[in-house]
Amino acid sequence: ERIDYLEQLLGDSADKHAKELQDLKEAHAKFMAAHGKQAKDVDALKALHQHHATMGERLDYLETLLGDSADKHSQELEALKAAHAKHMDAFVKHASDLGAMAAHHATVVERLEYVEKLLGDSA
């Protein structure tokens, strides 16, 4: 009986250890599968990171873009101011010419009175 008891005890213990070993192997297989997936994800992120501009590069690009735009707008503003000044000079000249022409020309009323006077004198 003692031998049977010992054999049963050792057998139960061996069966228990075999089951625990199998459970550990299965858990390890799951871990390795998850680790492989994570390693692939990390590699994919590294590849994406290589194609992604750094913050400094992005700021440099924006500063260049805005600087060029500001310079262009400044030049266009100066060109518009120069064109405005040119048109203002032309307007002032034409306004003074119009004033001079108006001073030399008689109004319709003055011309009508002149014609009536001429006709009145001859009648």
Side-chain angles (χ1 to χ4, degrees), residues 35-64:
H35 179 71
K37 182 182 180 305
Q38 288 175 352
K40 287 180 186 176
D41 291 344
V42 168
D43 289 340
L45 284 173
K46 285 180 182 177
L48 284 174
H49 182 68
Q50 289 176 350
H51 297 299
H52 190 67
T54 64
M55 185 64 72
E57 292 170 340
R58 294 169 74 184
L59 282 174
D60 289 342
Y61 171 75
L62 288 174
E63 287 172 348
T64 301

Side-chain angles (χ1 to χ4, degrees), residues 42-100:
V42 168
D43 289 340
L45 284 173
K46 285 180 182 177
L48 284 174
H49 182 68
Q50 289 176 350
H51 297 299
H52 190 67
T54 64
M55 185 64 72
E57 292 170 340
R58 294 169 74 184
L59 282 174
D60 289 342
Y61 171 75
L62 288 174
E63 287 172 348
T64 301
L65 188 68
L66 290 176
D68 291 347
S69 180
D71 292 341
K72 183 179 176 183
H73 286 287
S74 176
Q75 290 171 353
E76 289 178 0
L77 184 61
E78 290 302 318
L80 282 172
K81 285 180 180 179
H84 181 263
K86 181 182 172 186
H87 288 183
M88 184 56 87
D89 291 342
F91 175 76
V92 168
K93 181 183 179 296
H94 291 305
S96 66
D97 290 347
L98 181 63

Side-chain angles (χ1 to χ4, degrees), residues 109-123:
V109 173
E110 293 171 341
R111 293 173 73 186
L112 188 57
E113 288 174 355
Y114 175 75
V115 169
E116 288 174 347
K117 182 181 171 204
L118 284 178
L119 290 176
D121 290 345
S122 65

